[in-house]
Amino acid sequence: MEQKLQAIALEAKNAIGSAQNSDELGQIRVKVLGRKGDLTAILRELGKLSKELRPVMGQKVNEIREELTALLDAKEADMAKHELAARLEAEALDVTLPGESVKRGRLHPLSIVQGEIRDIFIGMGFDVKEGPEIEYERYNFEMLNIPENHPARDMQDTFYIRDGILMRTHTSPVQVRTMLSESLPIRMICPGRVYRSDDVDATHSPMFHQVEGLVVDKGICFGDLKGVLDEFIKKFYGSGTKTRFRPGYFPFTEPSAEVDATCAICHGKGCNVCKGTGWIEILGCGMVHPSILEGCGIDPEVYSGFAFGLGLDRLTTIKYGITDIRLLFEGDTRFLGQF
């Protein structure tokens, strides 16, 4: 038994000395010192020895176990040290190399222009309101003087979710919701996405953006409307920009007007953008129809108001000289990176 014990010890020492990695050391530890290892097997055979030899052999087995354990621990520590050094060398970072540039995102041109418009109106005392893009037909049409079978519905053909619920065709429902829920006076703008079943071309899209505004208070007149819009256009396009108001029609305002501004490209001299006229149509506006005020619980004999609406996409294309509205929605970073 003693010869067998010495042979196990010698084989284990040679294996420890030739081990190349920590996995091999782990296998040696299990083979020699584990519950089913070689030394454990020797200990189980001690019962076959005489009472005199049993403690002597037991002591030798323990001594060899301690010796092999110490060798394994020392080898593992040395191996771990070398493995760490090799890993640090392999993963070394040359701090003298130039860093890789990180591409930074930019605001979309629509977001840039919307932010400018918001800042201008906030500076004039307006609040910014938002509303749902999936809207009730009642708010989108009926409470804006557009009953069923009204011709204006043909111009605002949209996408219906189910009877009575649709994708809003303008942000005007936010104005209705504001008049129904908030106390007077009201000074607000409502930017957002709107939807109409238009064919896609250079100037049309089934999804586009609007910014509409509303003021309701005592003594509001058309002069206030002209003053606000003239100030907005001058701040947006420049102090030298001129405006003109032409008669128009909208079911929810009376009287109504279309607003033109001198071309931001040629400054009124005439160019391809303004088709040689020197003027570009910017937005529509008018005094809030008394029946709409009354439908929202506001006495039109005491209060009056004005409303306006502009196409954010149109203002963006004019501002940056973009000739095709589809470029705003394609997500091409080569195009968007210019802004």
Side-chain angles (χ1 to χ4, degrees), residues 3 7 61 90 125 140 184 211 218 308:
Q3 291 178 350
V61 170
N140 194 83
L184 299 173
V211 179
K218 294 179 179 178
F308 57 88

Side-chain angles (χ1 to χ4, degrees), residues 22 25-26 29 71-81 83:
S22 55
L25 283 179
R29 188 184 292 273
L71 287 173
L72 285 166
D73 291 344
K75 185 75 173 182
E76 281 183 349
D78 185 61
M79 239 176 225
K81 181 179 177 182
E83 287 176 357

Side-chain angles (χ1 to χ4, degrees), residues 230 233-234 236-243 261-264 267:
D230 187 67
I233 291 173
K234 281 181 167 57
F236 187 74
Y237 283 120
S239 58
T241 307
K242 297 179 181 179
T243 58
T262 48
C263 178
H267 306 290

Side-chain angles (χ1 to χ4, degrees), residues 201-217:
D201 58 31
T203 56
H204 296 86
S205 170
M207 186 276 291
F208 54 101
H209 301 78
Q210 283 188 340
V211 179
E212 297 193 30
L214 173 70
V215 172
V216 179
D217 202 350

